[in-house]
Amino acid sequence: MNSESFSIDEFISGGEEKAPEEVDVQKAVVEELAAEKVELESKASALAAELAAVRDALSRAEAEKEALREGEARARGEAESLKAALSASAAEAERLKQEIHLKEEALLECDTQARNPNALALLDRDVDLPDRFPGETRDHVLEVVKEARDKAEEDGRIRRAQVLEGVLVANEPNGSLAEARNSLKRLFAENMNVVNGVMMEKLKDLNISYKDADEFLSAEEILKRNY
């Protein structure tokens, strides 16, 4: 007899002799209890497995929840970045809109001026015509305008003086004429304002005449004739 059978028999006999029917009943009860115990142990094992599965699922759910939180944080960050970029784009679009508006106004102004006789260039020349004195033509004209402005002011011709002043304000000399004049003055000063041999050679290099027919010109006359 094995240990389990021995225990059952012990349980049934209780150390006392019993009737066979009573013994059979007690054995059936014990066997039923043992079967229930096995069943309960099986259920407990199954419940433990289910509990482990639930815990594992819960762990995965927590990990997914954390991942979702991180994804939500990234999404919020990206949304903020997109919002800032959209704001910057809107500001740039507004700036470009203003710039286009200003350019349209400038074009309109140019178109209006193009139909206005007063918009014609006050100092202009045909570029196909050769310039006898390159770089000096404009400055000569401006000096003439300045002299005329000064004369108009002296004579009380206010409107003419104002018109000529407007021309002078809008047209700056390039300085070529003044530079050439001052250079020649320095040459004469270095030679005591005398048209000597040295000066004659330098005047020839500058393509400036120092004679009128057979008469020699003075330094003052040469300067006046040329500049």
Side-chain angles (χ1 to χ4, degrees), residues 93-106:
E94 183 63 24
R95 186 189 69 78
L96 290 174
K97 182 179 177 182
Q98 292 296 327
E99 185 175 341
I100 291 171
H101 179 66
L102 291 174
K103 289 185 182 297
E104 287 176 347
E105 287 185 343

Side-chain angles (χ1 to χ4, degrees), residues 183-194 196 199 202:
S183 178
L184 186 56
K185 283 182 178 181
R186 284 194 298 271
L187 283 175
F188 276 121
E190 291 170 1
N191 290 274
M192 307 298 292
N193 289 322
V194 176
N196 53 25
M199 277 303 301
K202 291 185 177 180

Side-chain angles (χ1 to χ4, degrees), residues 132-177:
R132 294 188 62 186
F133 307 105
E136 295 181 17
T137 303
R138 181 184 183 84
D139 287 7
H140 274 291
V141 174
L142 288 174
E143 283 194 355
V144 171
V145 174
K146 184 176 182 300
E147 291 171 1
R149 189 273 316 269
D150 294 342
K151 185 66 168 62
E153 288 181 347
E154 183 182 340
D155 294 342
R157 305 184 72 173
I158 304 302
R159 180 172 294 190
R160 174 176 290 187
Q162 290 175 344
V163 170
L164 296 176
E165 177 65 23
V167 175
L168 293 171
V169 169
N171 295 275
E172 292 288 335
N174 61 32
S176 297
L177 177 59

Side-chain angles (χ1 to χ4, degrees), residues 25-194:
V25 170
Q26 289 181 348
K27 282 185 177 181
V29 170
V30 170
E31 288 174 354
E32 184 177 351
L33 288 173
E36 288 179 358
K37 177 184 176 184
V38 170
E39 183 179 357
L40 288 173
E41 288 176 347
S42 177
K43 288 182 178 179
S45 178
L47 287 174
E50 290 180 4
L51 179 60
V54 169
R55 286 175 176 170
D56 185 57
L58 180 61
S59 178
R60 288 197 302 272
E62 288 293 334
E64 291 176 359
K65 182 179 178 181
E66 184 62 26
L68 287 174
R69 285 176 180 171
E70 292 178 356
E72 184 181 358
R74 286 196 301 271
R76 281 198 299 269
E78 291 175 359
E80 288 297 325
S81 297
L82 290 173
K83 184 178 178 181
L86 180 60
S87 178
S89 296
E92 178 65 11
E94 183 63 24
R95 186 189 69 78
L96 290 174
K97 182 179 177 182
Q98 292 296 327
E99 185 175 341
I100 291 171
H101 179 66
L102 291 174
K103 289 185 182 297
E104 287 176 347
E105 287 185 343
L107 288 173
L108 180 61
E109 179 67 18
C110 289
D111 184 58
T112 302
Q113 289 185 359
R115 296 191 299 271
N116 182 358
N118 288 333
L120 297 175
L122 294 175
L123 290 178
D124 203 356
R125 61 181 292 272
D126 190 342
V127 294
D128 293 327
L129 292 177
D131 191 351
R132 294 188 62 186
F133 307 105
E136 295 181 17
T137 303
R138 181 184 183 84
D139 287 7
H140 274 291
V141 174
L142 288 174
E143 283 194 355
V144 171
V145 174
K146 184 176 182 300
E147 291 171 1
R149 189 273 316 269
D150 294 342
K151 185 66 168 62
E153 288 181 347
E154 183 182 340
D155 294 342
R157 305 184 72 173
I158 304 302
R159 180 172 294 190
R160 174 176 290 187
Q162 290 175 344
V163 170
L164 296 176
E165 177 65 23
V167 175
L168 293 171
V169 169
N171 295 275
E172 292 288 335
N174 61 32
S176 297
L177 177 59
E179 183 179 352
R181 180 188 292 125
N182 292 332
S183 178
L184 186 56
K185 283 182 178 181
R186 284 194 298 271
L187 283 175
F188 276 121
E190 291 170 1
N191 290 274
M192 307 298 292
N193 289 322
V194 176

